Amino acid sequence: MEYQQRKTNVFMFPWLAHGHISPFLELAKTLSKRNFNIYLCSTRVNLSCIEKKLAEKYSHSITLVEIKVPTLPGLPQNYHTTKNLPSHLMPTLKTAFDRSANNLSKLLKTFKPDLLIYDTIQPWAPVIASKHNIPAVAFVATSATMTSFMLHRYKYPGTEFPFEDIYLNDHEDGNLVHLIQSSENHYKGKNRFFECLKRSSGMILIKSLNEIEGKYIDHLSLLAKKKIVPVGPLVETTTTTILEDEHSHIIEWLDKKCFGSTVFVSFGSEYFLSKEEMEEMAHGLELSGVNFIWVVRFPVGEKTRVEEAMPKGFLKRVGEKGLIIQGWAPQVQILEHPSIGGFVSHCGWSSVMEGIKYCIPIIAVPMHLDQPVNARLLTEIGVGVEVKRDGSGKLVREEVARVVKEVVVDKGGDFVRKRERQLSEKARMREEERMDGVVEELLQLCRKRKNIIRPQINGLLIHEVVEMTPNAVLSNVSMTKSK
């Protein structure tokens, strides 16, 4: 039976971060509409959040699969996720994840997928897949700009990136170490991110659009010596997002505000503002005089109250101009609301894509990792304005206020909105064509795998031989020849 005539089984294995799991889930939904069965694998604490997002229509095509991750000192099961994880435990989580490799092998043996789509934290995943004769493709959930920027520096240290609009300031350069940090000794001296790219089967999937990052996608392809296949923005839609009753007051509050008069402020689920950063942001919002919704988060176990974290008297002074939400907020519904005129964002890639899709000018306040490069890209393509820091990298309240007012009050965001509408329209027009291309690339890879397992050596299928030791394989081949 040909792959086009039966469903193709894909095992998806993202890193344990919401910013990674979310695009994997959206890709799963997209592929499930095109004759694919998806097994989405993560830890129990992450799967419990995903279950709420899976509508009934996906229940027959997307199966959630739990992987057991070892419990290490200071890292109980409820910490097997990066969400609200104290920063000092991140290396421990990576170590625990690495030690779950044998459990992944057992799952692949059980489910026998046609293809593994894996993340860029676990270079051991494609190695395990190859032992089961399963092709494996890396899926990059960060921007092509950042990926090519990093790969360029890795391959050509000391040379300038060929695109002058993309750079890092001195105070940002050291943060890259977190993206390439290893946990176990067997990755010492190697870069796990680039090992993941290197081991991908002929191509690399990336959450991006040619309309936004065309030249960086091309540059990445040259550097990686692989075909780069953009899969689109993979933005969650409101039809699949449930607005809980406890959050309905947010929309009611927005309904009372004028068109484009409010900024949405969020720094993602994995970055926690320092006390100094929180104070500068608070004063900046107050100085701007603009309405705002601010999502504030603290690490799990940290018993900090919003009132204590904010400058003295801040909540009373801003009154009805500000709404502060602690924990989670329905970001998509907020961005869609007509009262929103700007998005103060850390520039995580998923947030960037959401801002562009919903045509909301992005006020870029990058914090670490890939975010500074993403902020420079937004400025280059005209869909955002960056809040500049001082020479030592500190956030300055006056600069926050200036950019917020420029975008919302002085209508500087009008040009940005127009540019975002143009990009969104181009992307929508090519959406079906783009996904047809993605599906064909994946099916071709699966067909190659199907053809490979047909030949036999001494009665054994090749995929069975792969799991034997090299000496055992040689022994079987020798016996065959002697006969």
Side-chain angles (χ1 to χ4, degrees), residues 165-177:
D165 289 316
I166 305 302
Y167 59 90
L168 287 178
N169 294 310
D170 290 342
H171 65 267
E172 296 165 334
D173 219 3
N175 288 329
L176 282 180
V177 69

Side-chain angles (χ1 to χ4, degrees), residues 93-245:
L93 181 61
K94 286 184 179 179
T95 296
F97 192 52
D98 286 346
R99 293 182 184 179
S100 67
N102 286 337
N103 292 333
L104 173 65
S105 183
K106 292 175 184 177
L107 291 172
L108 293 179
K109 188 174 182 179
T110 298
F111 290 98
K112 297 179 174 61
D114 300 302
L115 175 69
L116 170 69
I117 298 180
Y118 65 97
D119 212 330
T120 51
I121 296 291
Q122 56 270 39
W124 39 267
V127 176
I128 291 170
S130 70
K131 292 179 180 178
H132 295 280
N133 196 43
I134 299 169
V137 175
F139 174 34
V140 180
T142 54
S143 67
T145 308
M146 182 59 181
T147 308
S148 63
F149 183 82
M150 288 177 60
L151 188 51
H152 181 92
R153 295 185 70 174
Y154 178 70
K155 295 188 75 169
Y156 308 110
T159 65
E160 291 292 324
F161 190 58
F163 305 99
E164 62 181 14
D165 289 316
I166 305 302
Y167 59 90
L168 287 178
N169 294 310
D170 290 342
H171 65 267
E172 296 165 334
D173 219 3
N175 288 329
L176 282 180
V177 69
H178 298 292
L179 284 177
I180 60 177
Q181 190 178 47
S182 297
S183 56
E184 298 277 81
N185 288 334
H186 56 271
Y187 286 117
K188 190 174 182 180
K190 292 184 178 181
N191 184 304
R192 61 170 62 225
F193 182 85
F194 301 127
E195 283 296 310
C196 285
L197 300 186
K198 182 179 178 181
R199 294 173 182 179
S200 188
S201 299
M203 64 178 168
I204 297 167
L205 303 178
I206 194 161
K207 176 179 171 168
S208 186
L209 293 162
N210 278 309
E211 292 80 3
I212 295 173
E213 295 192 281
K215 64 182 180 183
Y216 299 110
I217 291 171
D218 292 342
H219 188 58
L220 177 58
S221 182
L222 287 173
L223 291 170
K225 295 182 171 61
K226 294 181 188 289
K227 185 170 186 176
I228 308 300
V229 181
V231 297
L234 300 179
V235 172
E236 185 177 9
T237 60
T238 51
T239 55
T240 58
T241 305
I242 301 172
L243 184 62
E244 303 288 348
D245 289 340

Side-chain angles (χ1 to χ4, degrees), residues 313-377:
F314 170 73
L315 296 177
K316 185 176 181 180
R317 290 194 301 273
V318 296
E320 276 300 303
K321 276 188 169 293
L323 177 62
I324 294 183
I325 304 158
Q326 185 170 347
W328 183 85
Q331 182 159 304
V332 172
Q333 282 92 340
I334 292 173
L335 291 175
E336 274 194 315
H337 198 282
S339 295
I340 296 296
F343 181 13
V344 179
S345 173
H346 64 313
C347 295
W349 192 233
S350 289
S351 291
V352 166
M353 288 296 194
E354 288 174 358
I356 293 174
K357 177 171 181 176
Y358 295 111
C359 300
I360 303 299
I362 298 172
I363 298 161
V365 188
M367 293 296 174
H368 64 162
L369 304 178
D370 60 327
Q371 297 157 20
V373 167
N374 293 341
R376 312 286 132 77
L377 172 67

Side-chain angles (χ1 to χ4, degrees), residues 11 21 154 224 262 298 306 309 368 376 379 384 442 470:
F11 197 95
I21 295 170
Y154 178 70
T262 306
F298 305 104
V306 170
H368 64 162
R376 312 286 132 77
T379 302
L442 297 180

